[in-house]
Amino acid sequence: MSGSLLRCGVVGVGSLGRHHARKVVDHPEAELVGVFDPDSERARASSDELASRAFPAVEALLDEVDAVIVAAPTEYHGALGERALHAGVHLLMEKPLATTLTEADRLLEAAERADRVLQVGHLTRFHPGVQRLAEQGLDRSPPRYVEANRLNPFQPRSLDIDVILDLMVHDLDLLRHWIPAPVTEVRALGVPLVTDKVDMANARLAFANGAVANVTASRVARKRLRELRLFQPRRYVSLDFAGGTMGVYQVDGSQDLGAIPGVRGEATELPEADLLAEEVAAFVAACRGRSSRGVPGSEGRAALALGLTVREAVEDHFARYGPSLPADEANP
């Protein structure tokens, strides 16, 4: 394949899939062969815009491509992913990888049997701030405490899943990526506000190495917010994903008792980046046998597992306390 374009397809050309398709068109080593969407008018509009083909069925598309991006609703990830991998096609699956760990394991097994690439669309991994933290050796000095807030105004999309697998999973993926220790405890609460699924959730996670994280996600917020703070020994990092700024602050000072430490550092602007283009580029590189920064299926499975654990903790909290605290706890 080294001398030819990677023939790609996109399954699902809704709000995100059509952007994936554009990035494939823009990639110099890839060719958008076509798209499939159960909404034939939407598929035709996307294919006309990008000078590709609208295929009448998934199988017809899979017969003519080397790689496929699946941006369909999460409930179809397992079945569509298996069909692609069984057809011998490389797969980039939008997050979350699947709806259950059983489905995720079937995808991992299918990718291994077919010897095909399986990556997951955890887009935040490509953010310049996350990349800078990797360059600064975060893996050698993992955070001791992380606080993450990911809030969205309500949008009528991804309503087949709760806010945990829709938004919080991005930060759960970062935690699994940054903290090399098992999760030992999860306490969480969540509430459905405008849908029949949890629309706002908060989770406190404890890790075997002593690290702690507090993560909040909402899809019914007044304004969009993407912020994360992490603390290492004598170091504090503040990352504004949406605003594109990153502050790194180092604690100085004498080790003598009674000494007042000083803090040095400042917030800096991060370079602009097309995260989706980078994600597609990483996928294309992996399909062509090169090293890649793409998120492998196994790590997508780990993020899904942690998200499902948070969901179980939310359900346990609701089963114990219901929609409101008992009177003796609500009014101490």
Side-chain angles (χ1 to χ4, degrees):
M1 190 186 300
S2 60
S4 59
L5 296 177
L6 183 74
R7 300 174 302 159
C8 297
V10 176
V11 175
V13 284
S15 60
L16 184 57
R18 68 176 185 270
H19 295 303
H20 274 294
R22 292 191 188 104
K23 302 309 176 186
V24 172
V25 170
D26 293 339
H27 196 286
E29 297 181 68
E31 171 194 5
L32 181 66
V33 172
V35 303
F36 168 77
D37 194 289
D39 184 331
S40 58
E41 291 187 6
R42 185 162 61 190
R44 189 177 305 110
S46 180
S47 62
D48 288 348
E49 176 191 354
L50 300 172
S52 65
R53 294 170 56 190
F55 282 77
V58 172
E59 288 76 13
L61 174 61
L62 295 176
D63 284 343
E64 297 196 28
V65 298
D66 308 305
V68 68
I69 300 170
V70 172
T74 306
E75 61 186 304
Y76 302 113
H77 284 192
L80 288 171
E82 283 197 73
R83 286 157 77 178
L85 293 166
H86 289 162
V89 173
H90 300 294
L91 173 62
L92 172 59
M93 181 69 76
E94 251 311 314
K95 61 80 194 166
L97 176 59
T99 57
T100 68
L101 294 183
T102 298
E103 289 179 356
D105 288 337
R106 288 173 64 94
L107 289 174
L108 291 172
E109 291 166 4
E112 185 175 2
R113 284 197 305 270
D115 192 24
R116 299 291 91 178
V117 171
L118 171 58
Q119 292 187 350
V120 188
H122 284 289
L123 200 63
T124 306
R125 291 277 200 102
F126 298 91
H127 191 277
V130 174
Q131 295 299 313
R132 185 168 295 183
L133 285 171
E135 294 166 1
Q136 294 174 353
L138 190 63
D139 57 334
R140 297 189 299 273
S141 180
R144 307 299 294 165
Y145 176 70
V146 179
E147 182 175 88
N149 294 283
R150 189 171 294 264
L151 315 178
N152 258 9
F154 181 74
Q155 299 173 345
R157 52 165 293 278
S158 297
L159 301 184
D160 59 315
I161 53 177
D162 57 32
V163 73
I164 300 165
L165 295 188
D166 181 20
L167 294 181
M168 185 183 285
V169 72
H170 286 292
D171 296 311
L172 298 178
D173 170 63
L174 291 178
L175 293 175
R176 298 302 296 135
H177 185 55
W178 286 339
I179 302 176
V183 175
T184 57
E185 181 185 14
V186 176
R187 299 187 66 180
L189 59 86
V191 290
L193 294 170
V194 296
T195 75
D196 60 350
K197 297 179 174 63
V198 170
D199 296 311
M200 186 285 296
N202 171 266
R204 181 187 184 278
L205 301 92
F207 294 80
N209 66 352
V212 173
N214 189 53
V215 187
T216 300
S218 173
R219 57 187 181 190
V220 289
R222 186 175 60 85
K223 63 180 181 179
R224 188 171 182 265
L225 182 70
R226 301 279 191 279
E227 292 183 349
L228 182 145
R229 299 188 300 158
L230 63 88
F231 297 82
Q232 300 164 280
R234 308 183 69 80
R235 187 170 183 258
Y236 158 56
V237 177
S238 175
L239 181 55
D240 183 345
F241 292 101
T245 60
M246 179 176 175
V248 180
Y249 306 94
Q250 194 78 29
V251 178
D252 295 325
S254 170
Q255 297 298 315
D256 296 335
L257 292 177
I260 300 175
V263 178
R264 59 182 173 86
E266 61 182 2
T268 59
E269 296 287 332
L270 293 166
E272 293 187 7
D274 188 333
L275 307 189
L276 197 59
E278 292 196 27
E279 180 180 270
V280 169
F283 178 54
V284 172
C287 293
R288 298 179 73 87
R290 302 197 299 268
S291 61
S292 167
R293 293 191 292 112
V295 180
S298 59
E299 295 185 24
R301 196 247 189 220
L304 171 64
L306 188 51
L308 294 176
T309 299
V310 171
R311 178 190 287 172
E312 290 172 2
V314 168
E315 293 170 351
D316 178 66
H317 186 277
F318 189 86
R320 292 176 61 192
Y321 299 111
S324 60
L325 291 174
D328 60 340
E329 295 187 34
N331 300 288

Short mmCIF file of all heavy atoms in Angstrom, two decimals, residues 138-178:
data_model
loop_
_atom_site.label_atom_id
_atom_site.label_comp_id
_atom_site.label_asym_id
_atom_site.label_seq_id
_atom_site.Cartn_x
_atom_site.Cartn_y
_atom_site.Cartn_z
N LEU A 138 5.11 13.72 31.97
CA LEU A 138 4.06 13.43 32.93
C LEU A 138 4.04 11.94 33.30
O LEU A 138 3.65 11.57 34.41
CB LEU A 138 2.70 13.84 32.36
CG LEU A 138 1.52 13.82 33.34
CD1 LEU A 138 1.73 14.82 34.46
CD2 LEU A 138 0.21 14.11 32.61
N ASP A 139 4.46 11.08 32.36
CA ASP A 139 4.48 9.65 32.64
C ASP A 139 5.50 9.30 33.73
O ASP A 139 5.36 8.28 34.42
CB ASP A 139 4.77 8.86 31.37
CG ASP A 139 6.09 9.27 30.72
OD1 ASP A 139 6.51 10.42 30.92
OD2 ASP A 139 6.68 8.44 30.01
N ARG A 140 6.53 10.14 33.89
CA ARG A 140 7.56 9.87 34.90
C ARG A 140 7.19 10.44 36.27
O ARG A 140 7.76 10.06 37.28
CB ARG A 140 8.91 10.44 34.45
CG ARG A 140 9.44 9.80 33.18
CD ARG A 140 10.87 10.25 32.91
NE ARG A 140 10.98 11.69 32.73
CZ ARG A 140 10.81 12.31 31.57
NH1 ARG A 140 10.48 11.61 30.48
NH2 ARG A 140 10.94 13.63 31.47
N SER A 141 6.25 11.38 36.30
CA SER A 141 5.79 11.97 37.56
C SER A 141 4.28 12.14 37.49
O SER A 141 3.77 13.22 37.24
CB SER A 141 6.47 13.33 37.79
OG SER A 141 6.03 13.90 39.01
N PRO A 142 3.54 11.03 37.68
CA PRO A 142 2.08 11.07 37.53
C PRO A 142 1.43 12.06 38.50
O PRO A 142 1.97 12.32 39.59
CB PRO A 142 1.66 9.63 37.84
CG PRO A 142 2.89 8.81 37.66
CD PRO A 142 4.03 9.71 38.06
N PRO A 143 0.29 12.60 38.14
CA PRO A 143 -0.40 13.53 39.03
C PRO A 143 -0.89 12.82 40.29
O PRO A 143 -1.24 11.65 40.26
CB PRO A 143 -1.57 14.04 38.18
CG PRO A 143 -1.77 12.99 37.13
CD PRO A 143 -0.42 12.43 36.86
N ARG A 144 -0.92 13.59 41.38
CA ARG A 144 -1.45 13.08 42.64
C ARG A 144 -2.91 13.44 42.80
O ARG A 144 -3.65 12.75 43.52
CB ARG A 144 -0.65 13.65 43.81
CG ARG A 144 0.86 13.45 43.69
CD ARG A 144 1.22 11.97 43.65
NE ARG A 144 0.90 11.31 44.92
CZ ARG A 144 0.84 9.98 45.07
NH1 ARG A 144 1.04 9.19 44.04
NH2 ARG A 144 0.55 9.46 46.24
N TYR A 145 -3.31 14.54 42.18
CA TYR A 145 -4.71 14.95 42.24
C TYR A 145 -5.08 15.58 40.91
O TYR A 145 -4.32 16.38 40.35
CB TYR A 145 -4.95 15.95 43.37
CG TYR A 145 -6.36 16.49 43.41
CD1 TYR A 145 -7.43 15.68 43.79
CD2 TYR A 145 -6.64 17.80 43.04
CE1 TYR A 145 -8.73 16.17 43.82
CE2 TYR A 145 -7.93 18.31 43.07
CZ TYR A 145 -8.98 17.48 43.46
OH TYR A 145 -10.26 17.97 43.48
N VAL A 146 -6.26 15.23 40.39
CA VAL A 146 -6.76 15.80 39.13
C VAL A 146 -8.20 16.25 39.34
O VAL A 146 -9.01 15.53 39.95
CB VAL A 146 -6.71 14.77 37.98
CG1 VAL A 146 -7.28 15.38 36.69
CG2 VAL A 146 -5.30 14.26 37.76
N GLU A 147 -8.49 17.42 38.84
CA GLU A 147 -9.86 17.94 38.87
C GLU A 147 -10.24 18.33 37.45
O GLU A 147 -9.54 19.14 36.82
CB GLU A 147 -9.95 19.15 39.80
CG GLU A 147 -11.35 19.72 39.93
CD GLU A 147 -11.39 20.85 40.94
OE1 GLU A 147 -11.14 22.00 40.54
OE2 GLU A 147 -11.65 20.55 42.11
N ALA A 148 -11.31 17.75 36.93
CA ALA A 148 -11.71 18.00 35.54
C ALA A 148 -13.17 18.39 35.48
O ALA A 148 -14.02 17.79 36.15
CB ALA A 148 -11.47 16.74 34.70
N ASN A 149 -13.47 19.39 34.65
CA ASN A 149 -14.84 19.86 34.43
C ASN A 149 -15.08 19.95 32.92
O ASN A 149 -14.34 20.65 32.22
CB ASN A 149 -15.06 21.22 35.07
CG ASN A 149 -14.99 21.16 36.58
OD1 ASN A 149 -15.92 20.72 37.24
ND2 ASN A 149 -13.86 21.59 37.14
N ARG A 150 -16.10 19.25 32.47
CA ARG A 150 -16.42 19.23 31.03
C ARG A 150 -17.93 19.45 30.90
O ARG A 150 -18.74 18.54 31.13
CB ARG A 150 -16.00 17.88 30.43
CG ARG A 150 -16.09 17.81 28.91
CD ARG A 150 -15.45 16.53 28.41
NE ARG A 150 -14.02 16.51 28.67
CZ ARG A 150 -13.10 16.86 27.78
NH1 ARG A 150 -13.46 17.25 26.57
NH2 ARG A 150 -11.81 16.82 28.10
N LEU A 151 -18.30 20.66 30.52
CA LEU A 151 -19.70 21.06 30.52
C LEU A 151 -20.12 21.54 29.13
O LEU A 151 -19.37 22.23 28.45
CB LEU A 151 -19.94 22.19 31.53
CG LEU A 151 -19.30 22.04 32.92
CD1 LEU A 151 -19.60 23.27 33.77
CD2 LEU A 151 -19.75 20.77 33.61
N ASN A 152 -21.33 21.19 28.74
CA ASN A 152 -21.88 21.58 27.45
C ASN A 152 -23.29 22.13 27.62
O ASN A 152 -24.07 21.58 28.41
CB ASN A 152 -21.98 20.37 26.52
CG ASN A 152 -20.89 20.31 25.49
OD1 ASN A 152 -19.94 21.08 25.54
ND2 ASN A 152 -21.00 19.40 24.54
N PRO A 153 -23.68 23.15 26.87
CA PRO A 153 -25.10 23.45 26.74
C PRO A 153 -25.80 22.26 26.05
O PRO A 153 -25.17 21.49 25.33
CB PRO A 153 -25.13 24.69 25.85
CG PRO A 153 -23.75 25.27 25.96
CD PRO A 153 -22.83 24.10 26.13
N PHE A 154 -27.08 22.15 26.27
CA PHE A 154 -27.81 20.99 25.72
C PHE A 154 -27.83 21.04 24.19
O PHE A 154 -28.08 22.08 23.58
CB PHE A 154 -29.24 20.96 26.24
CG PHE A 154 -30.02 19.79 25.71
CD1 PHE A 154 -29.78 18.51 26.18
CD2 PHE A 154 -30.97 19.95 24.70
CE1 PHE A 154 -30.47 17.42 25.69
CE2 PHE A 154 -31.67 18.87 24.21
CZ PHE A 154 -31.42 17.61 24.70
N GLN A 155 -27.55 19.89 23.60
CA GLN A 155 -27.63 19.72 22.15
C GLN A 155 -28.32 18.39 21.87
O GLN A 155 -28.03 17.39 22.56
CB GLN A 155 -26.24 19.72 21.51
CG GLN A 155 -25.46 21.01 21.71
CD GLN A 155 -24.03 20.91 21.19
OE1 GLN A 155 -23.52 19.84 20.93
NE2 GLN A 155 -23.39 22.05 21.06
N PRO A 156 -29.19 18.33 20.89
CA PRO A 156 -29.90 17.08 20.60
C PRO A 156 -29.05 16.09 19.81
O PRO A 156 -29.35 15.72 18.67
CB PRO A 156 -31.11 17.57 19.77
CG PRO A 156 -30.61 18.79 19.08
CD PRO A 156 -29.67 19.46 20.05
N ARG A 157 -27.94 15.65 20.42
CA ARG A 157 -27.05 14.68 19.78
C ARG A 157 -26.51 13.74 20.86
O ARG A 157 -26.44 14.09 22.04
CB ARG A 157 -25.88 15.36 19.07
CG ARG A 157 -25.11 16.34 19.92
CD ARG A 157 -23.77 16.73 19.31
NE ARG A 157 -22.87 15.60 19.29
CZ ARG A 157 -22.14 15.20 20.34
NH1 ARG A 157 -22.24 15.84 21.50
NH2 ARG A 157 -21.35 14.17 20.23
N SER A 158 -26.14 12.54 20.45
CA SER A 158 -25.59 11.53 21.35
C SER A 158 -26.51 11.25 22.53
O SER A 158 -26.05 10.93 23.63
CB SER A 158 -24.20 11.96 21.87
OG SER A 158 -23.29 12.07 20.81
N LEU A 159 -27.81 11.34 22.30
CA LEU A 159 -28.75 11.11 23.39
C LEU A 159 -29.05 9.63 23.59
O LEU A 159 -29.84 9.26 24.46
CB LEU A 159 -30.06 11.88 23.12
CG LEU A 159 -29.90 13.40 22.98
CD1 LEU A 159 -31.25 14.06 22.81
CD2 LEU A 159 -29.15 13.99 24.17
N ASP A 160 -28.41 8.77 22.80
CA ASP A 160 -28.56 7.33 23.03
C ASP A 160 -27.69 6.85 24.18
O ASP A 160 -27.81 5.71 24.63
CB ASP A 160 -28.21 6.55 21.76
CG ASP A 160 -26.78 6.80 21.29
OD1 ASP A 160 -26.38 7.98 21.28
OD2 ASP A 160 -26.09 5.84 20.92
N ILE A 161 -26.78 7.73 24.67
CA ILE A 161 -25.93 7.39 25.80
C ILE A 161 -26.02 8.49 26.84
O ILE A 161 -26.48 9.59 26.56
CB ILE A 161 -24.44 7.20 25.37
CG1 ILE A 161 -23.94 8.42 24.59
CG2 ILE A 161 -24.28 5.93 24.57
CD1 ILE A 161 -22.47 8.34 24.20
N ASP A 162 -25.58 8.19 28.07
CA ASP A 162 -25.61 9.19 29.12
C ASP A 162 -24.38 10.09 29.03
O ASP A 162 -23.48 9.88 28.21
CB ASP A 162 -25.71 8.52 30.49
CG ASP A 162 -24.57 7.54 30.75
OD1 ASP A 162 -23.45 7.76 30.27
OD2 ASP A 162 -24.80 6.53 31.45
N VAL A 163 -24.35 11.10 29.89
CA VAL A 163 -23.27 12.08 29.84
C VAL A 163 -21.92 11.46 30.23
O VAL A 163 -20.87 11.97 29.87
CB VAL A 163 -23.60 13.29 30.74
CG1 VAL A 163 -23.46 12.93 32.22
CG2 VAL A 163 -22.73 14.49 30.40
N ILE A 164 -21.97 10.33 30.94
CA ILE A 164 -20.72 9.68 31.35
C ILE A 164 -19.97 9.17 30.13
O ILE A 164 -18.77 9.42 29.97
CB ILE A 164 -21.02 8.54 32.34
CG1 ILE A 164 -21.71 9.08 33.58
CG2 ILE A 164 -19.72 7.80 32.71
CD1 ILE A 164 -22.36 8.01 34.44
N LEU A 165 -20.67 8.46 29.24
CA LEU A 165 -20.02 7.93 28.04
C LEU A 165 -19.96 8.95 26.91
O LEU A 165 -19.20 8.78 25.96
CB LEU A 165 -20.74 6.66 27.57
CG LEU A 165 -20.69 5.46 28.52
CD1 LEU A 165 -21.26 4.23 27.84
CD2 LEU A 165 -19.27 5.19 29.00
N ASP A 166 -20.73 10.02 27.04
CA ASP A 166 -20.72 11.06 26.00
C ASP A 166 -19.59 12.07 26.24
O ASP A 166 -18.78 12.32 25.33
CB ASP A 166 -22.07 11.78 26.01
CG ASP A 166 -22.18 12.87 24.94
OD1 ASP A 166 -21.38 12.83 23.97
OD2 ASP A 166 -23.05 13.75 25.07
N LEU A 167 -19.49 12.62 27.44
CA LEU A 167 -18.51 13.67 27.73
C LEU A 167 -17.45 13.26 28.75
O LEU A 167 -16.26 13.42 28.51
CB LEU A 167 -19.23 14.93 28.24
CG LEU A 167 -20.16 15.65 27.26
CD1 LEU A 167 -20.77 16.88 27.93
CD2 LEU A 167 -19.42 16.05 26.00
N MET A 168 -17.88 12.71 29.87
CA MET A 168 -16.92 12.39 30.93
C MET A 168 -15.87 11.40 30.49
O MET A 168 -14.73 11.41 30.97
CB MET A 168 -17.66 11.85 32.17
CG MET A 168 -16.74 11.61 33.36
SD MET A 168 -17.57 10.90 34.80
CE MET A 168 -18.46 12.33 35.42
N VAL A 169 -16.21 10.54 29.53
CA VAL A 169 -15.28 9.49 29.11
C VAL A 169 -13.97 10.07 28.57
O VAL A 169 -12.92 9.43 28.66
CB VAL A 169 -15.95 8.57 28.07
CG1 VAL A 169 -16.12 9.28 26.72
CG2 VAL A 169 -15.19 7.26 27.90
N HIS A 170 -13.99 11.30 28.04
CA HIS A 170 -12.75 11.94 27.59
C HIS A 170 -11.76 12.09 28.74
O HIS A 170 -10.58 11.77 28.62
CB HIS A 170 -13.04 13.32 27.00
CG HIS A 170 -13.69 13.30 25.65
ND1 HIS A 170 -13.03 12.85 24.53
CD2 HIS A 170 -14.93 13.67 25.24
CE1 HIS A 170 -13.84 12.95 23.48
NE2 HIS A 170 -14.99 13.45 23.89
N ASP A 171 -12.26 12.60 29.88
CA ASP A 171 -11.39 12.81 31.03
C ASP A 171 -11.04 11.50 31.71
O ASP A 171 -9.94 11.35 32.26
CB ASP A 171 -12.04 13.79 32.00
CG ASP A 171 -12.22 15.17 31.37
OD1 ASP A 171 -11.24 15.68 30.79
OD2 ASP A 171 -13.33 15.72 31.44
N LEU A 172 -11.96 10.54 31.70
CA LEU A 172 -11.63 9.22 32.25
C LEU A 172 -10.52 8.57 31.44
O LEU A 172 -9.63 7.90 32.00
CB LEU A 172 -12.88 8.33 32.24
CG LEU A 172 -14.06 8.83 33.10
CD1 LEU A 172 -15.23 7.87 32.97
CD2 LEU A 172 -13.65 8.99 34.56
N ASP A 173 -10.53 8.78 30.13
CA ASP A 173 -9.45 8.26 29.29
C ASP A 173 -8.11 8.91 29.67
O ASP A 173 -7.09 8.22 29.76
CB ASP A 173 -9.76 8.52 27.81
CG ASP A 173 -8.57 8.22 26.91
OD1 ASP A 173 -8.15 7.05 26.86
OD2 ASP A 173 -8.05 9.16 26.28
N LEU A 174 -8.11 10.22 29.90
CA LEU A 174 -6.88 10.90 30.29
C LEU A 174 -6.37 10.36 31.63
O LEU A 174 -5.17 10.17 31.82
CB LEU A 174 -7.10 12.40 30.37
CG LEU A 174 -7.34 13.13 29.04
CD1 LEU A 174 -7.58 14.61 29.29
CD2 LEU A 174 -6.17 12.93 28.08
N LEU A 175 -7.28 10.13 32.58
CA LEU A 175 -6.87 9.60 33.87
C LEU A 175 -6.20 8.23 33.72
O LEU A 175 -5.16 7.96 34.32
CB LEU A 175 -8.07 9.50 34.81
CG LEU A 175 -8.70 10.82 35.26
CD1 LEU A 175 -9.95 10.55 36.07
CD2 LEU A 175 -7.71 11.64 36.07
N ARG A 176 -6.80 7.36 32.91
CA ARG A 176 -6.22 6.03 32.72
C ARG A 176 -4.87 6.15 32.00
O ARG A 176 -3.97 5.34 32.22
CB ARG A 176 -7.17 5.14 31.89
CG ARG A 176 -8.51 4.86 32.53
CD ARG A 176 -8.40 4.20 33.90
NE ARG A 176 -7.80 2.88 33.81
CZ ARG A 176 -6.85 2.45 34.63
NH1 ARG A 176 -6.37 3.22 35.57
NH2 ARG A 176 -6.38 1.23 34.50
N HIS A 177 -4.76 7.16 31.14
CA HIS A 177 -3.53 7.37 30.39
C HIS A 177 -2.41 7.92 31.28
O HIS A 177 -1.24 7.58 31.09
CB HIS A 177 -3.82 8.33 29.24
CG HIS A 177 -2.69 8.56 28.30
ND1 HIS A 177 -2.03 7.55 27.64
CD2 HIS A 177 -2.09 9.72 27.89
CE1 HIS A 177 -1.08 8.05 26.88
NE2 HIS A 177 -1.08 9.36 27.02
N TRP A 178 -2.77 8.75 32.24
CA TRP A 178 -1.78 9.45 33.05
C TRP A 178 -1.41 8.73 34.34
O TRP A 178 -0.31 8.89 34.84
CB TRP A 178 -2.30 10.84 33.41
CG TRP A 178 -2.30 11.82 32.29
CD1 TRP A 178 -1.55 11.76 31.15
CD2 TRP A 178 -3.08 13.02 32.19
NE1 TRP A 178 -1.81 12.84 30.34
CE2 TRP A 178 -2.73 13.63 30.96
CE3 TRP A 178 -4.01 13.62 33.02
CZ2 TRP A 178 -3.32 14.84 30.55
CZ3 TRP A 178 -4.60 14.81 32.61
CH2 TRP A 178 -4.25 15.42 31.39
#
